[in-house]
Amino acid sequence: MQKSYTKNMKQHVYIETYGCQMNINDSEVVASILHDTGFEYTTDIQQADLILLNTCSIRDHAENRVFQRLHDIKKIRRQKKHVLIGVIGCMAERLRDQLFGHDIKTDIVAGPDSYRNLPELLLDAQSHKQAINVKLSRTETYKEIIPYRIDGVQISTFVSIMRGCNNFCTYCIVPYTRGRERSRDVQSILNEVLDTVKKGYKEITLLGQNVNSYNYDDNGSRILFPDLLRRVARLVPDTRIRFSTSHPKDMDDELLHVMTECDNVCKWVHLPVQSGSSSVLKRMGRTYDREWYLQRVAAIRKIVPEASITSDIIAGFSGETEEEHQETLSLMKEVGFDLSYMFKYSERPGTIAARDFEDDVPENVKTRRLNEIITLQKKISAECYENDKGKDFVVLVEGVSKKSDQELKGRNSQNKTIIFPRKHAKIGEYVTVRITKTNSATLKGEIVG
Ligand code: SAH
Ligand code: SF4
Ligand code: F3S
């Protein structure tokens, strides 16, 4: 039986999420666990009896934002003494009991694998004990917990298919904060997919740090990612399916064939390259080189020619020379990424890079290189988007455009945002839009047909 934390009065939990899509999904798992314990989810922090920050450690900046936020939240507790404050997620895992520090005033610290324990942690916190659980698990996937869908408009959502990461890219904190990689039970994924569609969602993104290494033993038969993707796509043929993230080292042709075979699998591959230089990739422990990456891109272009390709890029990794930086710029031109997420290298304590290499690219050089990467990406994106002019795309309408309520926004299969006059279209519908105008971040068009 679930322990009931709240007996008489309705209590409210407010969750603020930082970091990646996995964290967004985890917040929904947490909301679901707490809902069963009697907590209503609220989007109003002033109404909350429990405030949770679901945090990210990927870069120094991500952690600093959370410390700043904790500082602000202290003021709320000055007015409402009973409010409990919890830090959960990757920072909880990394910083552990340091988060009970004098100035921070955290009541609960829970790592990514201990959310089932939150009801007990709450009881401890209520009786003024230090409530902490940062144990990592080799098996936890929250498989039977149907996430409490937090977002207001029920159009697009995530289904987590695995947790953790075994890759240990030398710069990355994720294997330490999320633990070992484990694949979720296939039937529980299919159940959640069906439940999501029943709730009215039209698009599902299958999530994992490296979805291509999904590997589940289903009573003696091995299910790998291409099989899983095919099963999901066939189960809900009217729902769009996306997946993220693909690691270049094991994104194989079979996956690309499933993408073409299933119409409802979106033609978009997020394939983070990190650097265009083989020597930097080697220091990063990415286990592929420039040639391998380019050959994977060639395979995408050949097998799924209409696919868009996006990337993550790190500027100024340890020891990065000017020549190595130039190789990143040249790879970007060669591939022509539709879009990239671009970051300055931020050394993370405890990682292999922090131990073995010096973070020796000066801050001003990192900034200059990052700016060069951003400027180039903007130019390439603008060219990619310009190529879309005159084309017709099927767009899933997701909402009203920020600038005008006479315009709607949605995305095409390639994950590009498209804005268009609303006419009679409704949110949640598919419409065909002809592209008439472009810039480096959006496409604009008119509904046709
Ligand atoms: N699992 C995914 C990405 C997870 S983190 C993958 O392997 O691609 C998202 C992105 O953050 C990474 O792709 C990388 O570009 C960036 N990142 C990770 N650690 C970083 C660090 N220490 N400094 C700067 N960027 C980092
Ligand atoms: Fe980090 Fe590499 Fe794992 Fe991605 S694959 S989460 S970058 S260690
Ligand atoms: Fe951040 Fe943890 Fe995701 S470190 S990027 S929230 S896995």
Side-chain angles (χ1 to χ4, degrees):
M1 238 192 37
Q2 274 284 359
K3 230 181 238 177
S4 176
Y5 172 75
T6 54
K7 289 210 176 67
N8 305 318
M9 254 174 36
K10 264 266 160 273
Q11 302 261 321
H12 289 88
V13 56
Y14 167 89
I15 311 178
E16 207 164 273
T17 309
Y18 297 79
C20 63
Q21 296 170 330
M22 306 284 298
N23 251 17
I24 297 176
N25 192 244
D26 278 4
S27 290
E28 297 183 333
V29 167
V30 167
S32 173
I33 291 169
L34 291 174
H35 192 259
D36 290 348
T37 322
F39 273 90
E40 285 290 308
Y41 177 78
T42 179
T43 50
D44 177 8
I45 195 166
Q46 297 300 336
Q47 199 189 16
D49 305 286
L50 169 64
I51 298 173
L52 295 178
L53 301 188
N54 189 4
T55 59
C56 172
S57 289
I58 202 84
R59 285 168 288 274
D60 205 32
H61 177 66
E63 292 195 344
N64 290 339
R65 276 177 64 208
V66 170
F67 283 126
Q68 183 53 47
R69 190 67 180 130
L70 281 168
H71 188 73
D72 297 344
I73 288 172
K74 267 202 300 199
K75 289 179 205 137
I76 296 181
R77 200 170 30 201
R78 252 182 244 137
Q79 294 146 9
K80 288 163 79 186
K81 294 256 178 314
H82 79 284
V83 172
L84 293 176
I85 298 172
V87 174
I88 63 173
C90 292
M91 259 175 94
E93 194 60 51
R94 195 178 89 74
L95 296 170
R96 300 169 174 235
D97 53 6
Q98 290 175 46
L99 289 166
F100 294 121
H102 184 64
D103 187 47
I104 308 174
K105 299 269 188 295
T106 306
D107 303 293
I108 298 164
V109 173
D113 286 346
S114 65
Y115 298 148
R116 285 182 203 268
N117 192 214
L118 276 170
E120 283 76 19
L121 291 174
L122 273 163
L123 291 170
D124 284 351
Q126 231 192 0
S127 40
H128 308 290
K129 287 189 216 147
Q130 279 202 350
I132 179 164
N133 186 341
V134 289
K135 261 194 237 104
L136 286 172
S137 158
R138 289 191 175 252
T139 52
E140 179 64 276
T141 57
Y142 301 110
K143 66 174 182 181
E144 82 297 353
I145 295 176
I146 298 282
Y148 179 93
R149 303 291 175 196
I150 287 174
D151 50 342
V153 191
Q154 303 194 329
I155 304 297
S156 180
T157 194
F158 306 117
V159 170
S160 160
I161 63 163
M162 56 209 295
R163 296 181 73 82
C165 183
N166 286 351
N167 288 320
F168 287 93
C169 302
T170 60
Y171 51 80
C172 184
I173 196 74
V174 172
Y176 307 91
T177 60
R178 294 254 160 188
R180 295 292 61 75
E181 184 180 287
R182 62 221 100 119
S183 296
R184 180 176 169 189
D185 171 280
V186 65
Q187 198 51 52
S188 77
I189 296 174
L190 299 177
N191 291 348
E192 189 178 323
V193 164
L194 276 181
D195 177 79
T196 316
V197 171
K198 244 187 249 147
K199 286 184 175 139
Y201 286 92
K202 300 282 191 283
E203 181 181 278
I204 293 172
T205 304
L206 303 178
L207 282 186
Q209 293 297 353
N210 176 9
V211 289
N212 303 109
S213 60
Y214 180 84
N215 186 336
Y216 184 74
D217 181 354
D218 190 22
N219 292 320
S221 85
R222 280 253 148 244
I223 302 191
L224 303 178
F225 186 61
D227 312 327
L228 176 74
L229 182 62
R230 189 185 287 112
R231 285 202 201 188
V232 169
R234 287 193 181 154
L235 182 69
V236 289
D238 297 327
T239 304
R240 274 184 170 181
I241 308 298
R242 300 184 189 274
F243 54 89
S244 182
T245 297
S246 293
H247 193 300
K249 80 176 157 70
D250 41 22
M251 196 219 48
D252 57 15
D253 289 0
E254 201 193 335
L255 171 68
L256 299 173
H257 289 298
V258 175
M259 288 178 75
T260 52
E261 186 191 302
C262 304
D263 286 344
N264 57 328
V265 173
C266 289
K267 310 303 181 244
W268 166 49
V269 187
H270 185 56
L271 196 68
V273 69
Q274 314 298 0
S275 166
S277 151
S278 292
S279 43
V280 173
L281 288 168
K282 189 147 193 249
R283 290 203 294 282
M284 287 178 163
R286 290 288 284 180
T287 67
Y288 56 86
D289 59 11
R290 180 187 173 102
E291 285 61 44
W292 172 271
Y293 187 88
L294 290 173
Q295 172 253 324
R296 290 292 75 212
V297 168
I300 299 172
R301 300 272 188 240
K302 182 161 168 254
I303 301 169
V304 200
E306 70 273 44
S308 61
I309 304 178
T310 57
S311 184
D312 295 348
I313 298 172
I314 298 177
F317 183 60
S318 302
E320 187 186 72
T321 63
E322 209 49 44
E323 291 72 42
E324 288 168 334
H325 165 62
Q326 289 300 327
E327 285 181 274
T328 295
L329 297 176
S330 83
L331 178 125
M332 290 170 68
K333 284 184 211 150
E334 201 165 332
V335 176
F337 293 118
D338 293 79
L339 180 143
S340 292
Y341 298 95
M342 301 155 284
F343 314 102
K344 251 191 263 183
Y345 173 54
S346 164
E347 187 181 74
R348 307 315 290 133
T351 55
I352 301 165
R355 190 191 65 201
D356 293 353
F357 309 126
E358 204 183 324
D359 180 15
D360 55 358
V361 178
E363 191 55 30
N364 62 334
V365 176
K366 279 187 192 172
T367 305
R368 196 248 308 146
R369 289 182 189 167
L370 178 66
N371 285 339
E372 287 175 12
I373 289 170
I374 293 173
T375 307
L376 176 62
Q377 183 57 57
K378 270 200 187 143
K379 185 167 163 272
I380 295 170
S381 293
E383 284 163 14
C384 287
Y385 281 49
E386 184 64 27
N387 272 338
D388 287 336
K389 229 189 216 169
K391 289 188 191 159
D392 291 353
F393 290 110
V394 175
V395 175
L396 173 59
V397 185
E398 284 175 65
V400 176
S401 129
K402 266 192 218 132
K403 291 209 180 117
S404 152
D405 61 4
Q406 291 312 303
E407 288 181 330
L408 295 175
K409 67 169 180 193
R411 277 172 298 152
N412 63 5
S413 173
Q414 288 74 8
N415 205 35
K416 290 180 186 164
T417 299
I418 302 182
I419 314 264
F420 49 95
R422 63 157 68 214
K423 288 197 179 157
H424 299 296
K426 291 194 192 70
I427 293 171
E429 281 180 352
Y430 290 103
V431 290
T432 302
V433 176
R434 180 162 303 158
I435 305 305
T436 51
K437 253 167 100 179
T438 68
N439 62 31
S440 65
T442 36
L443 299 171
K444 285 197 154 195
E446 297 282 342
I447 297 178
V448 290

